Amino acid sequence: MTPRRLRQFLALIEHAHFGRAAKALGVSQPALSKSIQLLESELGVTLFDRRTDGVVLTAFGQLLREKSRRLLVAEEDLRRDIALLAGGDIGALKVALGPYPSVTSGYASIARLHARHPQIKVTAHVAGWREVAHQVATGAVDLGIAEISTLQGRQEFTCELLGEHVGRLFCRPGHPLLSQKRPPTLAQTLDYPWVASRIPLRLATHLLPATLGCAGAYDPLTGDFVPAIEIDVPMQIVRFVEHSNALAVGNLSTFEREFLAGEVVPLPLHDLPLRTRYGFIYLKERSLPPAVEVYMNEVRVVEEEICQREIVLAEMTSAAKKNQG
């Protein structure tokens, strides 16, 4: 039951026909047929029912299909770990980033990593936090940086908390909520569409009321808050705010340039206990390549710098409120 034979078994499932599977594998049909027969002989069961129009999995074949993918991933992991240990090469970085971590520390840390180690090959992309966890679980990436509260109870993961940044609502200068004598309430903000990535159940149930008005809606399957304007690239959120009464969800570092330029204004809310809770996600049983460990160190440094910068920006916001008062 070799990895090669298991791959041939999976290819036959995919194509459901010896001729088509053999062509895709680049082997002769008799060779593929013999390989499957040897696999069945070794296991002592029939894996496929042969028909004139193709093949159909038996119950034994269905069981092997479930197990074989895991066996092949384990074999790939073993070969990968041996190569890393034998070569001592810093190698490659494969990372999946949640929307907000991507614009806080994710991409900035990749830039710093590449400046120090230009030989590293980098593959990075942005996805929702559930997709990030899925990519880590399947081995598509070595590391994820995303919301970790939803992964409680998932024993296959190691999670390390990174960012707990204070979330705020931002609007354009001249927004109706800024013309009031008193600071706006959370209930008043629900009269306007919110622009953000979806907010996880952890935050939605503690932060928002049952009725969301124009701000968005709850996902009936997951309980997530889905904003009226759902966007996966936070760096583009401000474009929706500039010429409308929409409210953007983010933190001071996310919109620092626009905030300092006076293009957006943080709403002076006192009842928005919103904090990000994202971190590293990786498999417990899988060794991290050297490039990933170096990248993680860069992220930690950037996160600390962001936290210090947000303290300064928060002080500037407080000073601006006092001047307006």
Side-chain angles (χ1 to χ4, degrees), residues 60-73:
F60 297 110
Q62 292 173 3
L63 176 62
L64 182 60
R65 177 179 59 186
E66 295 172 9
K67 301 289 185 180
S68 60
R69 290 194 175 97
R70 277 181 264 170
L71 288 170
L72 289 172
V73 169

Side-chain angles (χ1 to χ4, degrees), residues 244-259:
S244 75
N245 287 332
L247 303 176
V249 180
N251 52 56
L252 288 171
S253 62
T254 307
F255 302 129
E256 178 177 356
R257 187 192 67 78
E258 293 83 2
F259 165 59

Side-chain angles (χ1 to χ4, degrees), residues 1-318:
M1 194 165 56
T2 63
R4 178 173 176 271
R5 195 158 287 159
L6 289 177
R7 292 188 182 94
Q8 291 176 337
F9 165 74
L10 292 174
L12 185 53
I13 294 174
E14 180 182 355
H15 296 281
H17 189 275
F18 274 101
R20 292 192 294 268
K23 184 177 181 180
L25 291 166
V27 299
S28 67
Q29 183 172 333
L32 177 60
S33 179
K34 183 178 180 180
S35 179
I36 297 301
Q37 288 173 3
L38 289 172
L39 181 59
E40 291 176 320
S41 176
E42 181 179 352
L43 294 173
V45 296
T46 300
L47 299 173
F48 295 95
D49 287 329
R50 277 74 166 172
R51 300 178 180 178
T52 55
D53 58 344
V55 295
V56 177
L57 275 177
T58 65
F60 297 110
Q62 292 173 3
L63 176 62
L64 182 60
R65 177 179 59 186
E66 295 172 9
K67 301 289 185 180
S68 60
R69 290 194 175 97
R70 277 181 264 170
L71 288 170
L72 289 172
V73 169
E75 187 245 354
E76 289 173 3
D77 283 350
L78 176 60
R79 291 183 180 278
R80 172 180 162 279
D81 290 347
I82 289 174
L84 288 171
L85 183 61
D89 187 8
I90 198 165
L93 169 66
K94 294 181 181 179
V95 60
L97 305 169
Y100 281 102
S102 72
V103 298
T104 51
S105 57
Y107 280 132
S109 300
I110 291 174
R112 292 170 64 135
L113 174 74
H114 191 263
R116 291 181 171 87
H117 305 282
Q119 75 276 21
I120 292 176
K121 181 180 179 182
V122 177
T123 302
H125 43 90
V126 178
W129 70 89
R130 289 189 177 86
E131 176 61 20
V132 169
H134 175 72
Q135 291 186 28
V136 173
T138 58
V141 297
D142 297 304
L143 180 72
I145 306 179
E147 170 76 21
I148 61 175
S149 64
T150 59
L151 302 181
Q152 293 176 352
R154 296 282 296 272
Q155 298 299 318
E156 70 268 37
F157 293 126
T158 293
C159 298
E160 176 189 328
L161 179 64
L162 270 175
E164 283 194 295
H165 305 282
V166 176
R168 299 172 184 263
L169 282 175
F170 294 80
C171 65
R172 63 175 176 84
H175 193 283
L177 289 174
L178 297 176
S179 62
Q180 303 176 163
K181 293 182 178 180
R182 294 183 178 182
T185 63
L186 177 60
Q188 289 175 314
T189 69
L190 302 180
D191 292 333
Y192 301 92
W194 287 21
V195 189
S197 301
R198 59 173 54 206
I199 295 175
L201 177 65
R202 167 186 68 85
L203 293 171
T205 53
H206 293 88
L207 170 66
L208 301 171
T211 303
L212 296 173
C214 298
Y218 291 111
D219 186 320
L221 296 178
T222 64
D224 297 340
F225 166 62
V226 183
I229 304 173
E230 183 181 4
I231 185 169
D232 285 337
V233 186
M235 64 186 70
Q236 297 297 327
I237 287 179
V238 71
R239 306 282 81 84
F240 290 87
V241 176
E242 288 177 327
H243 305 293
S244 75
N245 287 332
L247 303 176
V249 180
N251 52 56
L252 288 171
S253 62
T254 307
F255 302 129
E256 178 177 356
R257 187 192 67 78
E258 293 83 2
F259 165 59
L260 294 178
E263 297 173 4
V264 298
V265 179
L267 281 176
L269 283 176
H270 301 297
D271 52 355
L272 188 71
L274 175 61
R275 280 183 175 270
T276 62
R277 189 172 174 79
Y278 60 80
F280 293 132
I281 307 166
Y282 54 92
L283 292 175
K284 286 183 179 178
E285 302 300 327
R286 194 177 196 193
S287 301
L288 292 175
V292 173
E293 295 183 341
V294 174
Y295 173 67
M296 291 169 71
N297 289 333
E298 294 287 357
V299 174
R300 294 184 185 102
V301 172
V302 172
E303 280 289 332
E304 180 60 30
E305 292 174 354
I306 290 172
C307 289
Q308 295 302 316
R309 181 59 181 161
E310 287 186 340
I311 292 173
V312 175
L313 293 171
E315 292 173 350
M316 294 172 61
T317 303
S318 300

